[in-house]
C-alpha cells in the first residue's frame, strides 16, 4: 500500500525490492575510480554500429540482458519496462529495447530519468499492477554533444563549468516482495525502495547549456527540503545523500542552498558526477552528467554498498535539466527537476 506523506512524498509500506541490476560503461568511464565495479565495458564508442545513437541503444540492450541474467529469469517474466534517455523521442530506449518484447513505457526526465524510472517501477509493483518491472536508462557522450551542443568534429572548446556526458547504461529489476517467483534467499539481501519524493520544476533563469550544475542545483535543494519537511527526517538519518549529476559547480551550490534552508549536508553528501570520473586526472572539467551517470554509479557503487551493509539507508536524488535542442537555440532558460528515492539495505 502506498501512503502519501506530507505534500509530495510517497511511503511504500511493502517496500519494492531491487532484485537485480547491471551497468555497462564506455572506455573513458573505465579509466575512472569505478572501473572495476561496472559489469561490462564497451571500449568502442560506436559499439560496432554505424552511429553513436545506435551504439547507445546497444548499451541499453546489454545492460538489460545482464540484469535479466543476474535475475535468473527471462524477459517474458517482466511485466513492464520503463526506460528513457536524452535523445529526441527517447530513441535509444525504444530502438534498443524493442527486441525484448516487454510492454514498454518511455520516460523522460533528462538526467533525472533513472530516479523517475525507479519511482514508477516501485509504484507499479507496490500497487500490484505488476509483479516485476524493469527500469533502464542510458546516455552517450557523442550522441548528447551532437544533439545539445556541437558535434565533436567541430572541436568546440568546453568551458570550465561544463560536464562530460557519461557513456553508459544501467538496468534495474524491481519486484514486489510478495512475488512468489522470487526466492526467499534473494529477499534477504536485496535493497529496498522505501520512499520517494517527486520533484517540481524549478527555473532560476540559467541559460548556459555549459553550466548544468547551476541550473539543476536549485531543483535538488527543493526536492530534498520537501522530503525532509514531509517526513520530519534530517541529513543525520542517512549514511549518504547522493545527487546524480551536479558535478563540482552544482554540488557546491547545492550544499550552500541546503545550508540556507537549515539543513547541513556537507558531511554526508556526494555526487555521482564526481564519483564516476577522477576530475583531477581526467579531462571532464566540472565532472560527469547524463542519464547514465547516476544510474551507473547507483548500480556500480550505491546498491552493492547497501547489500554489503556499508550503507544502511541512503537518499538518491537524480537531477535533470529539461532543455531541448530547440529551446536552447531559441534562447530559453533551462528548467530543471530532481526526483528522490529513499533506499534501505535489507532489514533497514
Amino acid at each position: 500500500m502506498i501512503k502519501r506523506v506530507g505534500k509530495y512524498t510517497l511511503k511504500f509500506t511493502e517496500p519494492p525490492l531491487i532484485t537485480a541490476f547491471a551497468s555497462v560503461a564506455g572506455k573513458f568511464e573505465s579509466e575512472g575510480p569505478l572501473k572495476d565495479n561496472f559489469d561490462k565495458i564497451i571500449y568502442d564508442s560506436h559499439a560496432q554500429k554505424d552511429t553513436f545513437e545506435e551504439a547507445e541503444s546497444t548499451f541499453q540492450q546489454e545492460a538489460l540482458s545482464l540484469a535479466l541474467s543476474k535475475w535468473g529469469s527471462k524477459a517474458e517474466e517482466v511485466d513492464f519496462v520503463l526506460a528513457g534517455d536524452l535523445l529526441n523521442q527517447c530513441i535509444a530506449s525504444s530502438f534498443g529495447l524493442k527486441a525484448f518484447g516487454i510492454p514498454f513505457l518511455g520516460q523522460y526526465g533528462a538526467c533525472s530519468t533513472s530516479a523517475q524510472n525507479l519511482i514508477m517501477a516501485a509504484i507499479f509493483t507496490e500497487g500490484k499492477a505488476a509483479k516485476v518491472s524493469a527500469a533502464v536508462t542510458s546516455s552517450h557522450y557523442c550522441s548528447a554533444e551532437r544533439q545539445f551542443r556541437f558535434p565533436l568534429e567541430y572541436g568546440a572548446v568546453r568551458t570550465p563549468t561544463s560536464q562530460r556526458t557519461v557513456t553508459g547504461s544501467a538496468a534495474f529489476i524491481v519486484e514486489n516482495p510478495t512475488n512468489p517467483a522470487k526466492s526467499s534467499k534473494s529477499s534477504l539481501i536485496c535493497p529496498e525502495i522505501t520512499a520517494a519524493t517527486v520533484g517540481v520544476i524549478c527555473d532560476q533563469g540559467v541559460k548556459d547549456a555549459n553550466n548544468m550544475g547551476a541550473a539543476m542545483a536549485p531543483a535538488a535543494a527543493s526536492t530534498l527540503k520537501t522530503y525532509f519537511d514531509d517526513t520530519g527526517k534530517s541529513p543525520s538519518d542517512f549514511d549518504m545523500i547522493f545527487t546524480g549529476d551536479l558535478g563540482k559547480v552544482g554540488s557546491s551550490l547545492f550544499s550552500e542552498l541546503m545550508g540556507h534552508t537549515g539543513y547541513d549536508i556537507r558531511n554526508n553528501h556526494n555526487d555521482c558526477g564526481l564519483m564516476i570520473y577522477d576530475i583531477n586526472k581526467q579531462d571532464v572539467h566540472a565532472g560527469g552528467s547524463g542519464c547514465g551517470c547516476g544510474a551507473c554509479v547507483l548500480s556500480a557503487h550505491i546498491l552493492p554498498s547497501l547489500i554489503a551493509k556499508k550503507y544502511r539507508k541512503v537518499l538518491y536524488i537524480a537531477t535533470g535539466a529539461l532543455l531541448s535542442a530547440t529551446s536552447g537555440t531559441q534562447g530559453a532558460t533551462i528548467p530543471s527537476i530532481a526526483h528522490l528515492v529513499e533506499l534501505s539495505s535489507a532489514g533497514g
Side-chain angles (χ1 to χ4, degrees):
M1 179 179 175
I2 303 172
K3 294 177 62 177
R4 188 72 172 259
V5 179
K7 197 171 184 181
Y8 298 122
T9 299
L10 303 175
K11 177 72 174 178
F12 301 109
T13 56
E14 294 182 355
L17 304 175
I18 302 177
T19 51
F21 48 89
S23 57
V24 179
K27 177 181 182 298
F28 195 75
E29 290 66 29
S30 74
E31 298 168 358
L34 300 179
K35 60 184 178 182
D36 297 325
N37 299 56
F38 301 121
D39 292 286
K40 183 173 183 177
I41 305 296
I42 296 179
Y43 292 95
D44 174 16
S45 60
H46 278 95
Q48 299 183 341
K49 302 295 181 180
D50 293 331
T51 69
F52 295 127
E53 290 74 16
E54 290 179 297
E56 187 173 341
S57 291
T58 299
F59 273 72
Q60 284 212 20
Q61 292 170 1
E62 292 293 329
L64 182 54
S65 294
L66 285 168
L68 290 171
S69 177
K70 286 185 176 183
W71 184 47
S73 297
K74 299 179 180 180
E76 302 87 79
E77 296 183 60
V78 179
D79 297 306
F80 299 99
V81 59
L82 301 105
D85 54 83
L86 296 175
L87 302 182
N88 289 335
Q89 295 182 265
C90 294
I91 58 170
S93 302
S94 56
F95 281 63
L97 303 181
K98 61 184 179 181
F100 288 90
I102 305 170
F104 173 86
L105 288 165
Q107 304 287 303
Y108 184 79
C111 300
S112 73
T113 301
S114 58
Q116 179 174 318
N117 286 346
L118 287 174
I119 291 171
M120 296 302 296
I123 290 172
F124 269 53
T125 55
E126 173 86 349
K128 304 299 193 294
K131 290 182 178 179
V132 184
S133 295
V136 189
T137 192
S138 67
S139 56
H140 195 298
Y141 173 60
C142 302
S143 62
E145 288 297 310
R146 174 154 57 197
Q147 177 164 298
F148 291 104
R149 283 171 283 270
F150 300 101
L152 299 183
E153 293 84 354
Y154 282 22
V157 177
R158 293 181 292 132
T159 66
T161 59
S162 67
Q163 295 167 241
R164 181 185 175 99
T165 302
V166 166
T167 299
S169 176
F172 308 89
I173 304 298
V174 180
E175 287 191 70
N176 188 293
T178 61
N179 181 12
K182 181 182 56 54
S183 72
S184 59
K185 180 180 178 181
S186 69
S187 69
L188 297 176
I189 60 174
C190 297
E192 302 173 341
I193 301 175
T194 46
T197 301
V198 176
V200 299
I201 298 171
C202 296
D203 191 340
Q204 298 298 316
V206 176
K207 293 186 177 182
D208 186 0
N210 287 301
N211 193 358
M212 294 297 188
M216 296 186 293
S222 171
T223 298
L224 183 56
K225 181 182 184 301
T226 296
Y227 168 83
F228 286 148
D229 291 348
D230 283 350
T231 62
K233 295 181 179 180
S234 67
S236 61
D237 292 315
F238 299 93
D239 298 300
M240 288 296 295
I241 298 169
F242 295 97
T243 45
D245 317 89
L246 296 180
K248 184 176 180 180
V249 174
S251 293
S252 177
L253 181 56
F254 173 57
S255 181
E256 182 179 347
L257 290 171
M258 289 307 300
H260 290 322
T261 67
Y263 295 106
D264 186 354
I265 62 166
R266 289 174 295 178
N267 293 328
N268 59 343
H269 167 249
N270 206 346
D271 183 75
C272 298
L274 297 175
M275 298 170 66
I276 198 166
Y277 297 128
D278 185 335
I279 64 171
N280 295 316
K281 295 181 180 179
Q282 294 178 280
D283 183 18
V284 295
H285 295 299
S289 67
C291 290
C293 179
C296 282
V297 176
L298 179 63
S299 175
H301 172 74
I302 301 172
L303 294 178
S305 295
L306 285 167
I307 291 172
K309 299 297 179 74
K310 178 181 178 181
Y311 305 134
R312 294 282 181 169
K313 192 176 288 289
V314 304
L315 296 178
Y316 173 66
I317 311 167
T319 51
L322 303 176
L323 79 165
S324 73
T326 300
S327 68
T329 58
Q330 293 176 344
T333 56
I334 303 175
S336 61
I337 192 78
H339 302 304
L340 177 153
V341 181
E342 180 188 285
L343 299 165
S344 298
S345 61

